[in-house]
Amino acid sequence: YDEALALLKRSTNEYPNDLQLQLRYHKLLAEIGDKDELASRSNNLIEKLIAANSITSAALVFLNTIKAAPEFKPGSANSLLKLSEFFHERGQPRHALSMLSQLIKQHPDYPDMGKLYLKVARLYAEDLQQPDKALQVINHIQKNPDYGEAEKQEAAKLAKAL
C-alpha cells in the first residue's frame, strides 16, 4: 500500500501536467485523510484545472480539500474569482461569498475591488436575503474614494431596491 502511494506520488511529480493522474492522487489523498499533502498540492491543481477550463473539477478539488483541511484557502485571485462565479451559477451563494471574501482579504490591491464589493452586496441582497449586510457593503462602496463612479451608481440602485 505504501509503495503504491509512493509510486503514485512519484508519477505525479514526473508528470505534473497529467491532470487525470493529479486528480487520482488528490482523490486518494482525500480518502486516506492525508490533509497536509492534500492541502499542499491543491492550490497548484486548482490553478491547472482552471487554466484547462475544468472549473467543475477545480471546485470539487476545493470542496474535497476543505472537507479534509478546513483551513485550506485557494491562493490566486483568478482561482478565487472563478470559483466564486462557479458556485454562484450553481446556486451556492455561501461558497461564492466565501471565495469573494477570501479574495478581498488575500488580495487587497486587486484592481477591481469596487466590483468585488458590489458582487458581495448583490449576494447578500439577492441570494442570501440579508439586506442589512448588503447595506453595510453598499455604504462601504459609497464611502471609498478608490472605487469607480459606475460601482457607486450600481450600489445606489441596489440600495433603492432593498
Side-chain angles (χ1 to χ4, degrees), residues 46-47 50 62 73-87 95-96 98-104 106-107:
I46 288 170
E47 290 291 322
I50 288 173
F62 167 76
K73 307 274 189 257
S76 81
N78 182 56
S79 290
L80 290 163
L81 188 58
K82 293 286 188 187
L83 288 170
S84 174
E85 291 167 355
F86 174 86
F87 288 127
H95 281 310
S98 174
M99 298 294 99
L100 288 175
S101 297
Q102 287 178 42
L103 175 50
I104 289 167
Q106 290 175 225
H107 302 278

Short mmCIF file of all heavy atoms in Angstrom, two decimals, residues 46-47 50 62 73-87 95-96 98-104 106-107:
data_model
loop_
_atom_site.label_atom_id
_atom_site.label_comp_id
_atom_site.label_asym_id
_atom_site.label_seq_id
_atom_site.Cartn_x
_atom_site.Cartn_y
_atom_site.Cartn_z
N ILE A 46 -5.79 23.17 -8.52
CA ILE A 46 -6.91 24.07 -8.83
C ILE A 46 -6.50 25.04 -9.94
O ILE A 46 -7.26 25.25 -10.90
CB ILE A 46 -7.39 24.81 -7.56
CG1 ILE A 46 -8.11 23.83 -6.63
CG2 ILE A 46 -8.29 25.99 -7.92
CD1 ILE A 46 -8.41 24.38 -5.25
N GLU A 47 -5.30 25.62 -9.83
CA GLU A 47 -4.82 26.54 -10.86
C GLU A 47 -4.78 25.86 -12.23
O GLU A 47 -5.21 26.43 -13.24
CB GLU A 47 -3.42 27.04 -10.52
CG GLU A 47 -3.34 27.98 -9.34
CD GLU A 47 -3.96 29.33 -9.62
OE1 GLU A 47 -3.83 29.85 -10.74
OE2 GLU A 47 -4.61 29.85 -8.69
N ILE A 50 -8.33 25.17 -13.60
CA ILE A 50 -8.97 26.39 -14.09
C ILE A 50 -8.35 26.82 -15.42
O ILE A 50 -9.07 27.19 -16.35
CB ILE A 50 -8.90 27.51 -13.02
CG1 ILE A 50 -9.87 27.17 -11.88
CG2 ILE A 50 -9.22 28.87 -13.63
CD1 ILE A 50 -9.80 28.08 -10.69
N PHE A 62 -11.48 21.78 -4.55
CA PHE A 62 -11.62 22.72 -3.43
C PHE A 62 -12.50 22.13 -2.33
O PHE A 62 -12.14 22.13 -1.15
CB PHE A 62 -12.20 24.06 -3.92
CG PHE A 62 -12.67 24.93 -2.80
CD1 PHE A 62 -11.75 25.61 -2.01
CD2 PHE A 62 -14.02 25.07 -2.52
CE1 PHE A 62 -12.18 26.40 -0.95
CE2 PHE A 62 -14.45 25.86 -1.48
CZ PHE A 62 -13.53 26.53 -0.69
N LYS A 73 -7.07 27.52 1.93
CA LYS A 73 -7.51 28.70 1.19
C LYS A 73 -6.88 28.67 -0.20
O LYS A 73 -5.66 28.62 -0.31
CB LYS A 73 -7.08 29.98 1.89
CG LYS A 73 -7.47 30.10 3.35
CD LYS A 73 -8.84 30.66 3.50
CE LYS A 73 -9.17 30.97 4.94
NZ LYS A 73 -10.02 30.03 5.58
N PRO A 74 -7.71 28.71 -1.25
CA PRO A 74 -7.12 28.83 -2.59
C PRO A 74 -6.31 30.11 -2.66
O PRO A 74 -6.66 31.11 -2.03
CB PRO A 74 -8.33 28.90 -3.51
CG PRO A 74 -9.45 28.32 -2.73
CD PRO A 74 -9.15 28.62 -1.29
N GLY A 75 -5.25 30.10 -3.46
CA GLY A 75 -4.32 31.22 -3.42
C GLY A 75 -4.54 32.36 -4.38
O GLY A 75 -4.58 33.51 -3.97
N SER A 76 -4.69 32.09 -5.65
CA SER A 76 -4.66 33.19 -6.61
C SER A 76 -6.01 33.90 -6.70
O SER A 76 -7.07 33.31 -6.48
CB SER A 76 -4.26 32.68 -8.00
OG SER A 76 -5.36 32.10 -8.65
N ALA A 77 -5.94 35.17 -7.06
CA ALA A 77 -7.15 35.96 -7.25
C ALA A 77 -8.01 35.35 -8.35
O ALA A 77 -9.24 35.27 -8.22
CB ALA A 77 -6.77 37.40 -7.58
N ASN A 78 -7.38 34.91 -9.41
CA ASN A 78 -8.12 34.31 -10.52
C ASN A 78 -8.88 33.06 -10.07
O ASN A 78 -10.05 32.89 -10.41
CB ASN A 78 -7.18 33.98 -11.68
CG ASN A 78 -7.91 33.40 -12.86
OD1 ASN A 78 -8.84 34.00 -13.39
ND2 ASN A 78 -7.49 32.22 -13.30
N SER A 79 -8.23 32.21 -9.30
CA SER A 79 -8.89 30.99 -8.82
C SER A 79 -10.08 31.33 -7.94
O SER A 79 -11.16 30.76 -8.10
CB SER A 79 -7.92 30.12 -8.01
OG SER A 79 -6.96 29.56 -8.83
N LEU A 80 -9.88 32.26 -7.04
CA LEU A 80 -10.97 32.64 -6.13
C LEU A 80 -12.14 33.23 -6.90
O LEU A 80 -13.30 32.91 -6.61
CB LEU A 80 -10.45 33.63 -5.08
CG LEU A 80 -9.49 33.02 -4.06
CD1 LEU A 80 -8.71 34.10 -3.34
CD2 LEU A 80 -10.24 32.15 -3.08
N LEU A 81 -11.87 34.07 -7.88
CA LEU A 81 -12.93 34.68 -8.67
C LEU A 81 -13.67 33.62 -9.50
O LEU A 81 -14.91 33.59 -9.53
CB LEU A 81 -12.36 35.78 -9.58
CG LEU A 81 -13.38 36.63 -10.31
CD1 LEU A 81 -14.33 37.32 -9.34
CD2 LEU A 81 -12.66 37.67 -11.17
N LYS A 82 -12.93 32.76 -10.16
CA LYS A 82 -13.56 31.71 -10.98
C LYS A 82 -14.40 30.76 -10.11
O LYS A 82 -15.51 30.38 -10.51
CB LYS A 82 -12.51 30.90 -11.74
CG LYS A 82 -11.78 31.68 -12.78
CD LYS A 82 -12.64 31.94 -13.98
CE LYS A 82 -11.82 32.56 -15.09
NZ LYS A 82 -12.63 32.97 -16.21
N LEU A 83 -13.88 30.39 -8.95
CA LEU A 83 -14.64 29.52 -8.06
C LEU A 83 -15.90 30.22 -7.55
O LEU A 83 -16.97 29.62 -7.46
CB LEU A 83 -13.77 29.04 -6.89
CG LEU A 83 -12.71 28.01 -7.26
CD1 LEU A 83 -11.76 27.79 -6.09
CD2 LEU A 83 -13.33 26.68 -7.69
N SER A 84 -15.77 31.50 -7.23
CA SER A 84 -16.93 32.27 -6.78
C SER A 84 -18.01 32.28 -7.85
O SER A 84 -19.20 32.04 -7.57
CB SER A 84 -16.52 33.70 -6.43
OG SER A 84 -17.66 34.47 -6.15
N GLU A 85 -17.61 32.55 -9.08
CA GLU A 85 -18.58 32.57 -10.19
C GLU A 85 -19.23 31.19 -10.38
O GLU A 85 -20.44 31.09 -10.58
CB GLU A 85 -17.89 33.02 -11.48
CG GLU A 85 -17.49 34.48 -11.45
CD GLU A 85 -16.53 34.87 -12.58
OE1 GLU A 85 -16.07 33.99 -13.34
OE2 GLU A 85 -16.22 36.08 -12.68
N PHE A 86 -18.42 30.16 -10.30
CA PHE A 86 -18.93 28.79 -10.45
C PHE A 86 -19.98 28.49 -9.38
O PHE A 86 -21.08 28.02 -9.69
CB PHE A 86 -17.78 27.78 -10.36
CG PHE A 86 -18.25 26.36 -10.36
CD1 PHE A 86 -18.48 25.69 -11.56
CD2 PHE A 86 -18.47 25.67 -9.18
CE1 PHE A 86 -18.92 24.38 -11.57
CE2 PHE A 86 -18.91 24.36 -9.18
CZ PHE A 86 -19.14 23.71 -10.38
N PHE A 87 -19.64 28.77 -8.13
CA PHE A 87 -20.57 28.46 -7.04
C PHE A 87 -21.85 29.31 -7.15
O PHE A 87 -22.95 28.81 -6.89
CB PHE A 87 -19.91 28.65 -5.67
CG PHE A 87 -18.91 27.58 -5.35
CD1 PHE A 87 -17.61 27.91 -4.97
CD2 PHE A 87 -19.24 26.23 -5.41
CE1 PHE A 87 -16.69 26.92 -4.66
CE2 PHE A 87 -18.32 25.23 -5.10
CZ PHE A 87 -17.04 25.59 -4.74
N HIS A 95 -20.84 29.60 -0.62
CA HIS A 95 -19.49 29.30 -1.13
C HIS A 95 -18.99 30.45 -2.00
O HIS A 95 -17.82 30.83 -1.93
CB HIS A 95 -19.47 28.00 -1.94
CG HIS A 95 -19.44 26.76 -1.11
ND1 HIS A 95 -18.55 26.55 -0.08
CD2 HIS A 95 -20.20 25.64 -1.17
CE1 HIS A 95 -18.76 25.37 0.46
NE2 HIS A 95 -19.76 24.79 -0.18
N ALA A 96 -19.88 31.02 -2.81
CA ALA A 96 -19.49 32.17 -3.65
C ALA A 96 -19.03 33.33 -2.79
O ALA A 96 -18.00 33.95 -3.06
CB ALA A 96 -20.66 32.59 -4.54
N SER A 98 -17.89 33.17 0.27
CA SER A 98 -16.64 32.79 0.92
C SER A 98 -15.44 33.05 0.00
O SER A 98 -14.41 33.57 0.44
CB SER A 98 -16.70 31.32 1.33
OG SER A 98 -15.46 30.89 1.83
N MET A 99 -15.59 32.69 -1.28
CA MET A 99 -14.49 32.91 -2.24
C MET A 99 -14.21 34.40 -2.42
O MET A 99 -13.06 34.83 -2.43
CB MET A 99 -14.82 32.30 -3.61
CG MET A 99 -15.02 30.80 -3.62
SD MET A 99 -13.54 29.86 -3.24
CE MET A 99 -13.83 29.49 -1.52
N LEU A 100 -15.28 35.21 -2.53
CA LEU A 100 -15.09 36.65 -2.69
C LEU A 100 -14.46 37.26 -1.43
O LEU A 100 -13.59 38.13 -1.52
CB LEU A 100 -16.42 37.34 -2.99
CG LEU A 100 -16.99 37.10 -4.38
CD1 LEU A 100 -18.38 37.73 -4.51
CD2 LEU A 100 -16.05 37.63 -5.46
N SER A 101 -14.90 36.81 -0.27
CA SER A 101 -14.33 37.32 0.99
C SER A 101 -12.84 37.01 1.09
O SER A 101 -12.04 37.85 1.50
CB SER A 101 -15.07 36.75 2.19
OG SER A 101 -16.42 37.16 2.18
N GLN A 102 -12.48 35.78 0.69
CA GLN A 102 -11.05 35.42 0.70
C GLN A 102 -10.28 36.25 -0.31
O GLN A 102 -9.16 36.70 -0.02
CB GLN A 102 -10.88 33.93 0.38
CG GLN A 102 -11.30 33.02 1.50
CD GLN A 102 -11.15 31.56 1.12
OE1 GLN A 102 -10.17 31.18 0.51
NE2 GLN A 102 -12.13 30.75 1.48
N LEU A 103 -10.85 36.48 -1.46
CA LEU A 103 -10.19 37.29 -2.48
C LEU A 103 -9.93 38.69 -1.95
O LEU A 103 -8.83 39.23 -2.09
CB LEU A 103 -11.06 37.34 -3.74
CG LEU A 103 -10.63 38.23 -4.90
CD1 LEU A 103 -9.17 38.03 -5.29
CD2 LEU A 103 -11.53 37.98 -6.10
N ILE A 104 -10.92 39.28 -1.31
CA ILE A 104 -10.78 40.63 -0.76
C ILE A 104 -9.70 40.66 0.32
O ILE A 104 -8.87 41.58 0.35
CB ILE A 104 -12.15 41.14 -0.24
CG1 ILE A 104 -13.07 41.43 -1.43
CG2 ILE A 104 -11.98 42.35 0.66
CD1 ILE A 104 -14.53 41.63 -1.06
N GLN A 106 -7.17 38.34 0.87
CA GLN A 106 -5.85 37.89 0.43
C GLN A 106 -5.22 38.79 -0.63
O GLN A 106 -4.00 38.75 -0.81
CB GLN A 106 -5.94 36.46 -0.13
CG GLN A 106 -6.22 35.42 0.93
CD GLN A 106 -6.42 34.04 0.32
OE1 GLN A 106 -7.34 33.33 0.69
NE2 GLN A 106 -5.58 33.63 -0.61
N HIS A 107 -6.02 39.57 -1.34
CA HIS A 107 -5.51 40.39 -2.44
C HIS A 107 -6.05 41.82 -2.32
O HIS A 107 -6.84 42.27 -3.16
CB HIS A 107 -5.90 39.76 -3.78
CG HIS A 107 -5.41 38.37 -3.95
ND1 HIS A 107 -4.12 38.08 -4.35
CD2 HIS A 107 -6.01 37.17 -3.73
CE1 HIS A 107 -3.96 36.76 -4.37
NE2 HIS A 107 -5.08 36.19 -3.99
#
